[in-house]
Amino acid sequence: MTKTDDRLLGWGRYPRLPQRATALTWADDALPAGTDWLPRGLGRSYGDSCLAPAGGLQLHMTGLDRLIAFDPATGLLRCEAGLSLSDILAFAVPMGWFLPVTPGTRFVTVGGAIANDVHGKNHHVQGSFGDCVRRFALRRSDGRVLTCSPTENADWFAATVGGLGLTGVILWAEIALRRVASPVMDQETVRFGCLDDFFALAAESEADFEYTVSWVDCLARGKSLGRGLFMRANHGPAFGAERRRPARRLSVPVSPPVSPLNRLTLSLFNWAYYRRPVPRRAAVHYQPFFYPLDAIGGWNRLYGRDGFVQWQCVTPAEAGPEPVREMLDRIARSGQGSFLAVLKTFGSRKAPGLLSFPRPGTTLALDFPMKGRATLDLLTALDGVVRACGGAVYPAKDARMGAADFQAFYPQWRQLEGFRDPAIRSAFWQRVTEA
Amino acid sequence: MRKVLIVGATSAIAQATARVLAARGDRLFLAARNPERLEAVRQDIAVRGGHAVGAFAVDMTALDRHQALIDAAVESLGGLDLVLIAHGTLPDQAACQGSVEATLEAIQVNAVSVIALLTRLAGLFEAQRKGSLVVISSVAGDRGRQSNYVYGAAKGMVSIFLQGLRNRLAKAGVQVLDVKPGFVDTPMTAGFDKGGPLWAKPEQIAKGIVAAVDRGRDVVYLPWFWRPIMLIIRHIPEGVFKKLKL
């Protein structure tokens, strides 16, 4: 039996499946023989969408990290798929270019960003990652290499964007970067006392702010249900003072035997974080703005050996605030609060991928220490709320949703199955389509 | 701005080192066996804003091509300040034990071709009385072990050659740096279970190489902790050592 190696798990370190690994370093390297392997980037998907089926083989892509071409007039970047967004920013920001879409960590690969069609705090302006991808090359296990774009092999393009790595190996991609005047963000923070205030702030902010996101105190109940901090920002003009790079990264080298993230620290954190003095307007470097957790390497280890589960849903715009209120109420009553409860409204743009997660509505992201049955039961109840209102749960963050729920959230999964490379399969796909 | 020749430029450690040197403004001339991969590395350096002025596809076991490589680099760069020799293979020990050809081929690639190239470069550097010759050997060359003594013997031969060369070139003011990496997470080690804290990333090794060049070091273990580990391993009495499973 292959042993379970922490570095071959998902970011939440649950579930713990035995995995083997090999690497693709050159575009023409042989692909693994046999089936049940899965291309993998930096492994920042939380659950099992970045795992091969138990005992299967991960094909690590991070050695395929070369830049191929960059046009400084248009910002069009062509690079290999294992390059990280962090490397792209290190290259592009000094020249005044930025990623149009970035998720909450910069330690993901271009291939992973495409495969999960990741989104950021500016979804209502820029859409999801697939919207800034102009072309890519997709290598299939039968030897074909397809160049895909919204107009060339458009069906393969749509299947691969958000396709969870199942349609083949992405070799390189062309990404349209966007101009920025400085590495600094012009950020405002507004405290809000309840869920209705969040929706009012979101509606009021979206026209004037490219980036909006909220932290929610998910222990608050009653009249305070849904209170939190609303952050809204734009790329700043060229300041002077804040240009300095942020401090050196800290890291969590090993899992502590007892997780410091428990009910007591959670209550204290939520109480204090909500009340912390925040300057209403501040100039902040893009790194702490976009990637606060990237400052602590291996922060996932803080959850201890049992790991944690992330859960993110979107509820449709027409369902209004009620499903969100119901979910927050269930979470508050369960006492299983989340340190990082994040609430955001998505824009109305239709996502480019067949299986893309973003859609018009409200998205709520949570993480819970993995406490077995109690945690799983709460999440199943939340799935039910999402299903009842016609929403969806995000595969990139999932470790446990039921096959029936997944197939209700993504009825188009059968079409993706038709585009899946017969040699490639993930533990996630096995779990939600073969049950 | 130094003039740098990198041999084995498509190896993971060489690629990472090339990126560090290019970011510092050095001018690079890259050599490797596979022309397409070499071009991918040259493009990467060029797009990153580096001066990858040239590339030369060559199989280093073709010893009669070495002078042409050196001439092309000197002509393209206008001289040489630093040569990094990073090509090599990790032979399968079990296969070598059953095959004279496999054993000699491993020694040809990892030792003979390196020594042949250094012999040509030594005269050039001795005459110009400056510069750095940097060679990637291995901790495996510090003591023969049953699990990879063919590789170890080849790397050990290179290390002893470098000792003598350093002794010879010291009075000419030429640095001869022997880089001894431990376990590095590269395609060369794809078959290994890379668990544990002993495994390093090519980027760490690259930074270590550049720092050792800057400080004028002679021998550098990368990461540093391999120096005390190998000190102990070298000093275990042979009577004990031969009974260990290493």
Side-chain angles (χ1 to χ4, degrees), chain A residues 3 5 7 21-23 25-26 28-29 62-63 65-70 77-78 80 83 87 91 95, chain B residues 10-11 15 19 34 36-38 40-41 43-45 47-49 187 190 193-196 199 201 203:
Chain A
K3 65 176 181 170
D5 179 334
R7 289 158 314 137
T22 187
T25 311
W26 302 96
D28 61 353
D29 273 347
T62 52
D65 68 343
R66 299 168 198 95
L67 298 176
I68 301 170
F70 179 66
L77 174 73
R78 182 166 162 184
E80 293 181 337
L83 190 71
D87 284 343
F91 164 75
M95 293 186 287
Chain B
T10 53
S11 87
Q15 280 187 80
R19 286 177 183 173
N34 181 313
E36 287 83 32
R37 294 179 179 187
L38 179 60
V41 175
Q43 254 176 358
D44 175 63
I45 297 293
V47 176
R48 285 169 195 265
D193 176 11
K194 298 174 187 181
W199 286 88
K201 291 279 172 201
E203 291 74 22

Side-chain angles (χ1 to χ4, degrees), chain B residues 179-193:
Chain B
V179 178
K180 298 188 175 189
F183 302 142
V184 188
D185 184 359
T186 71
M188 196 171 90
T189 55
F192 288 73
D193 176 11

Side-chain angles (χ1 to χ4, degrees), chain A residues 37-39 49 111 115-116 160 162-170 421 424-425:
Chain A
W37 55 269
L38 181 73
S49 67
N116 293 288
T160 302
L164 301 170
L166 299 167
T167 60
V169 175
I170 303 172
D421 190 304
I424 297 178
R425 207 151 57 120

Side-chain angles (χ1 to χ4, degrees), chain A residues 111-185:
Chain A
I114 294 172
N116 293 288
D117 194 20
V118 298
H119 58 271
K121 301 169 185 174
N122 60 351
H123 180 268
H124 60 283
V125 178
Q126 298 278 5
S128 51
F129 196 81
D131 287 309
C132 67
V133 176
R134 293 291 168 266
R135 278 201 305 167
F136 56 77
L138 183 70
R139 183 174 168 198
R140 300 272 295 175
S141 64
D142 63 8
R144 280 185 300 164
V145 176
L146 304 171
T147 304
C148 308
S149 77
T151 53
E152 181 181 3
N153 291 313
D155 50 345
W156 287 98
F157 184 88
T160 302
V161 172
L164 301 170
L166 299 167
T167 60
V169 175
I170 303 172
L171 296 177
W172 55 261
E174 272 178 10
I175 301 162
L177 301 181
R178 52 87 59 88
R179 276 266 178 220
V180 290
S182 85
V184 174
M185 308 300 296

Side-chain angles (χ1 to χ4, degrees), chain B residues 3-215:
Chain B
K3 302 155 187 161
V4 182
L5 165 63
I6 300 181
V7 181
T10 53
S11 87
I13 294 175
Q15 280 187 80
T17 309
R19 286 177 183 173
V20 176
L21 293 174
R24 292 166 37 136
D26 289 345
R27 285 155 57 87
L28 308 181
F29 189 88
L30 309 173
R33 188 176 43 180
N34 181 313
E36 287 83 32
R37 294 179 179 187
L38 179 60
E39 176 56 17
V41 175
R42 194 200 61 76
Q43 254 176 358
D44 175 63
I45 297 293
V47 176
R48 285 169 195 265
H51 303 281
V53 297
F56 193 95
V58 57
D59 181 343
M60 293 308 291
T61 57
L63 306 183
D64 56 349
R65 296 280 291 144
H66 287 188
Q67 194 58 50
L69 166 63
I70 294 169
D71 292 346
V74 167
E75 191 189 325
S76 177
L77 295 167
L80 281 178
D81 300 314
L82 173 69
V83 179
L84 171 65
I85 302 178
H87 69 279
T89 58
L90 184 60
D92 179 339
Q93 175 65 28
C96 287
Q97 281 167 213
S99 159
V100 173
E101 288 74 26
T103 299
L104 295 184
E105 191 195 321
I107 289 172
Q108 187 74 15
V109 175
N110 291 299
V112 174
S113 74
V114 176
I115 286 170
L117 181 65
L118 282 169
T119 301
R120 294 181 199 270
L121 288 167
L124 181 73
F125 276 70
E126 190 170 40
Q128 73 184 25
R129 302 188 67 78
K130 67 181 170 74
S132 305
L133 295 171
V134 182
V135 182
I136 298 180
S137 66
S138 171
V139 294
D142 277 15
R143 191 155 193 181
R145 294 171 300 124
Q146 62 178 334
S147 57
N148 72 343
Y149 61 82
V150 172
Y151 180 71
K155 291 297 191 182
M157 188 186 337
V158 168
S159 288
I160 291 183
F161 185 90
L162 291 172
Q163 278 178 2
L165 189 64
R166 182 180 306 120
N167 194 197
R168 169 185 158 199
L169 294 182
K171 52 187 160 300
V174 173
Q175 180 189 18
V176 176
L177 173 61
D178 185 355
V179 178
K180 298 188 175 189
F183 302 142
V184 188
D185 184 359
T186 71
M188 196 171 90
T189 55
F192 288 73
D193 176 11
K194 298 174 187 181
L198 294 182
W199 286 88
K201 291 279 172 201
E203 291 74 22
Q204 287 171 261
I205 306 296
K207 281 186 191 157
I209 292 173
V210 173
V213 171
D214 288 350
R215 290 181 198 140

Side-chain angles (χ1 to χ4, degrees), chain A residues 25-58:
Chain A
T25 311
W26 302 96
D28 61 353
D29 273 347
L31 295 179
T35 58
D36 275 2
W37 55 269
L38 181 73
R40 165 161 159 143
L42 282 159
R44 290 298 176 114
S45 293
Y46 288 82
D48 56 359
S49 67
C50 58
L51 303 186
L57 185 70
Q58 298 178 358

